[in-house]
């Protein structure tokens, strides 16, 4: 197991970060397509990745051979302003990237457990492992939907889980969530962590320092290769 292995990439501005991360991800996807005929990308939601999505969407790669899915999703339909699928559709699946295939996590279901069961069946046919995963992080040190106050957090952070998607209940998350398992995330060929702002840098520094282990630290510890951190103030 690694000890918080990561590589730091700092940028003067957020637009510069977005362009650099987009170039890096496009290069990884192009390499995957050349090697196995397809590229599998998982991205995070929230407001942070909008500039990155826009920069990536115009890069002319073989998008018709790319499959895009989500690291996590709120249990809301795509029409909701809180939907990660809606953010991806509006900002990433545009321009050249419109040709990519998108696989959502949200499915209409009686409850979050049923939705997770549907995801595990539907996503089984994807060409795992992920080629690229781009994570975000909250000020509390959560990443994906691994919230510090989540029910069964130890189960969510089990790197040996055979599940693809797990249901998440956490008071701080507002809605129930669906998240890729830690095992699927750390099995990716390339893992990037995209964070912006001094508050996120402080949170990251705290997470990698000695002390109680925050969820992002669990990802860094479980990943077999260093996670590439992209940060701008």
């Amino acid at each position: 197991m690694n000890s918080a292995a990561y590589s730091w990439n700092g940028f003067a501005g957020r637009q510069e970060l977005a362009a650099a991360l987009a170039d890096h991800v496009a290069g990884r996807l192009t390499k995957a397509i050349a090697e196995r005929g397809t590229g599998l990308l998982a991205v995070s939601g929230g407001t942070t990745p909008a500039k990155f999505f826009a920069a990536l969407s115009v890069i002319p790669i073989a998008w018709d051979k790319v499959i895009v899915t989500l690291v996590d999703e709120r249990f809301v339909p795509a029409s909701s302003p809180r939907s990660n699928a809606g953010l991806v559709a509006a900002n990433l699946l545009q321009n050249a990237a419109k040709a990519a295939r998108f696989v959502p996590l949200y499915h209409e279901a009686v409850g979050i457990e049923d939705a997770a069961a549907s995801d595990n069946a539907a996503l089984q046919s994807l060409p795992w492992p992920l080629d690229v995963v781009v994570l975000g992080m909250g000020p509390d040190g959560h990443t994906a939907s691994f919230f510090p106050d989540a029910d069964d957090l130890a189960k969510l952070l089990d790197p040996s889980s055979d599940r693809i998607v797990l249901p998440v209940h956490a008071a701080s998350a507002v809605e129930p969530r669906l998240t890729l398992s830690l095992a699927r995330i750390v099995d990716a060929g390339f893992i990037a962590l995209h964070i912006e702002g001094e508050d996120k840098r402080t949170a990251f520094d705290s997470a990698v320092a000695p002390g109680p282990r925050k969820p992002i630290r669990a990802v860094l510890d479980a990943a077999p290769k260093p996670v590439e951190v992209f940060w701008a103030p």
Side-chain angles (χ1 to χ4, degrees), residues 118-165:
S118 294
D119 279 334
N120 278 286
L123 273 63
Q124 193 68 46
S125 63
L126 293 185
W128 302 98
L130 290 162
D131 295 296
V132 180
V133 59
V134 183
L135 299 171
M137 187 194 73
D140 60 354
H142 88 264
T143 190
S145 281
F146 306 142
F147 289 88
D149 65 338
D151 298 348
D152 298 324
L153 181 60
K155 182 178 179 181
L156 294 175
L157 296 179
D158 179 3
S160 65
S161 174
D162 61 357
R163 301 284 299 279
I164 299 174
V165 175

Side-chain angles (χ1 to χ4, degrees), residues 43-164:
V43 295
S44 296
T47 56
T48 298
K51 288 184 175 66
F52 155 62
F53 286 166
L56 181 59
S57 75
V58 299
I59 298 179
I61 66 172
W63 283 105
D64 60 325
K65 294 180 172 61
V66 174
I67 301 169
V68 180
T69 191
L70 292 164
V71 170
D72 65 327
E73 179 61 285
R74 298 173 176 91
F75 192 51
V76 296
S79 58
S80 168
R82 291 181 56 76
S83 166
N84 287 341
L87 177 79
V88 168
N91 295 280
L92 175 57
L93 301 177
Q94 301 291 326
N95 306 307
K98 190 178 289 188
R101 174 188 168 199
F102 179 62
V103 180
L105 296 187
Y106 173 83
H107 297 283
E108 211 172 312
V110 173
I112 193 72
E113 284 76 16
D114 289 336
S118 294
D119 279 334
N120 278 286
L123 273 63
Q124 193 68 46
S125 63
L126 293 185
W128 302 98
L130 290 162
D131 295 296
V132 180
V133 59
V134 183
L135 299 171
M137 187 194 73
D140 60 354
H142 88 264
T143 190
S145 281
F146 306 142
F147 289 88
D149 65 338
D151 298 348
D152 298 324
L153 181 60
K155 182 178 179 181
L156 294 175
L157 296 179
D158 179 3
S160 65
S161 174
D162 61 357
R163 301 284 299 279
I164 299 174

Side-chain angles (χ1 to χ4, degrees), residues 18 29 33 37 72 90 96 103 116 127 133 136 138 146 148 151 159 175 184 196 200 206 209 228:
L29 290 173
I33 291 165
D72 65 327
V103 180
V133 59
F146 306 142
D151 298 348
E175 306 97 344
R184 296 289 174 161
E196 297 177 354
K200 298 286 184 72
S206 173
E228 293 280 339

Side-chain angles (χ1 to χ4, degrees), residues 136-215:
M137 187 194 73
D140 60 354
H142 88 264
T143 190
S145 281
F146 306 142
F147 289 88
D149 65 338
D151 298 348
D152 298 324
L153 181 60
K155 182 178 179 181
L156 294 175
L157 296 179
D158 179 3
S160 65
S161 174
D162 61 357
R163 301 284 299 279
I164 299 174
V165 175
L166 294 165
V168 181
H169 296 275
S172 62
V174 185
E175 306 97 344
R177 302 280 188 114
L178 296 157
T179 187
L180 292 185
S181 67
L182 179 62
R184 296 289 174 161
I185 290 172
V186 300
D187 197 33
F190 174 74
I191 305 173
L193 173 63
H194 177 188
I195 53 176
E196 297 177 354
E198 295 295 343
D199 60 333
K200 298 286 184 72
R201 177 161 191 169
T202 298
F204 181 82
D205 289 344
S206 173
V208 298
R213 193 170 77 150
K214 296 183 179 180

